Amino acid sequence: MIEYRTIKTTGTHEIIIKKSRFICNIKHVETEEEAEDFINQIKKEHYKATHNCVAYQIGEKNEIQRALDNGEPSGTAGIPMLEALKHMELQNVVAVVTRYFGGIKLGAGGLIRAYSNAVSEAVHEIGVIERTIQHPVSVTVDYAFTGPMDNWIANHPYTLLDTTYLEKVTYTLGVPKKDVETFQQTLTDFTNGQAQFEVADARYVDIPVSPDPE
């Protein structure tokens, strides 16, 4: 398991430049086969389009990369799309930008900007997540602690995954592995030893982040 940034969800976003429609479809994928299936799906959906241009990067170190111009002048579509994904530091993502020609030529520079912007605007519209590796830690307390616990959670950088109200209240939070022991000790002190804990196996927890890396 590795931590990485990727698209929040599968989505579509369209921009219009000088009467040409640029429709970006983008998806999170784990394998090249998944990427190719998505590409073929979009090509079938937009089989009447002038171009269906492609970019994706997959793998722990983005070792699988592809950029296809699909009939646009060489280097004006697929590569700018791929560079947009790289700039936003996204992994395991495939983007297909469909162009319906509007009758006005954009020139090489115009095409590069159009395809790059189609991807970046789609990502900003759909959203980005950080896939972090965390342990879901369940903290069970008496109802008397709900107010203080709610306040404590709101003021700490842990992701609240679930809250269950039964005989007692159980908060489940995502905690990075390195912080689990400190997290438990802090809440033990906070609740005067009244909290009960259960630590689950590590898994991915998706946290929304800015599309523009710092």
Side-chain angles (χ1 to χ4, degrees):
M1 297 176 72
I2 59 167
E3 297 190 341
Y4 63 95
R5 295 162 58 96
T6 192
I7 195 74
K8 182 179 180 180
T9 186
T10 301
T12 303
H13 183 67
E14 178 177 338
I15 61 175
I16 298 176
I17 301 174
K18 293 185 178 180
K19 298 184 179 180
S20 281
R21 297 173 62 200
F22 293 86
I23 306 166
C24 180
N25 283 276
I26 194 164
K27 182 180 182 180
H28 167 77
V29 292
E30 295 288 343
T31 66
E32 192 168 12
E33 182 180 9
E34 289 181 16
E36 293 295 337
D37 287 344
F38 182 69
I39 293 164
N40 290 332
Q41 172 192 328
I42 300 303
K43 284 183 175 180
K44 288 179 181 178
E45 181 179 343
H46 293 284
Y47 68 94
K48 292 185 178 180
T50 316
H51 307 280
N52 285 291
C53 304
V54 172
Y56 60 73
Q57 52 182 10
I58 302 167
E60 183 174 342
K61 296 181 180 179
N62 289 328
E63 56 267 25
I64 302 173
Q65 297 184 1
R66 195 172 185 190
L68 297 176
D69 295 316
N70 192 231
E72 292 283 29
S74 179
T76 63
I79 290 177
M81 292 166 59
L82 182 60
E83 289 300 317
L85 297 179
K86 290 180 178 180
H87 175 74
M88 291 180 284
E89 298 180 358
L90 301 180
Q91 290 180 242
N92 293 349
V93 172
V94 55
V96 182
V97 175
T98 298
R99 182 188 184 190
Y100 287 91
F101 183 54
I104 301 174
K105 293 184 178 181
L106 302 182
L111 288 172
I112 289 170
R113 288 189 295 273
Y115 280 99
S116 176
N117 289 342
V119 172
S120 60
E121 288 191 24
V123 171
H124 279 78
E125 181 73 18
I126 296 163
V128 171
I129 54 171
E130 184 88 38
R131 303 213 76 196
T132 62
I133 303 167
Q134 299 186 7
H135 287 274
V137 180
S138 296
V139 186
T140 301
V141 295
D142 291 328
Y143 276 86
F145 285 102
T146 54
M149 278 293 298
D150 289 342
N151 186 63
W152 188 92
I153 292 168
N155 288 282
H156 286 78
Y158 302 108
T159 304
L160 180 63
L161 304 176
D162 188 35
T163 307
T164 304
Y165 299 92
L166 296 172
E167 292 183 5
K168 294 187 176 184
V169 184
T170 299
Y171 299 89
T172 303
L173 297 98
V175 182
K177 182 178 181 179
K178 63 181 178 60
D179 296 338
V180 169
E181 187 175 339
T182 301
F183 173 86
Q184 289 179 277
Q185 186 59 55
T186 300
L187 279 179
T188 296
D189 296 339
F190 182 74
T191 61
N192 299 316
Q194 299 300 304
Q196 297 176 317
F197 301 93
E198 183 175 338
V199 181
D201 292 339
R203 65 176 177 83
Y204 278 120
V205 174
D206 297 336
I207 301 175
V209 296
S210 169
D212 300 309
E214 296 179 359

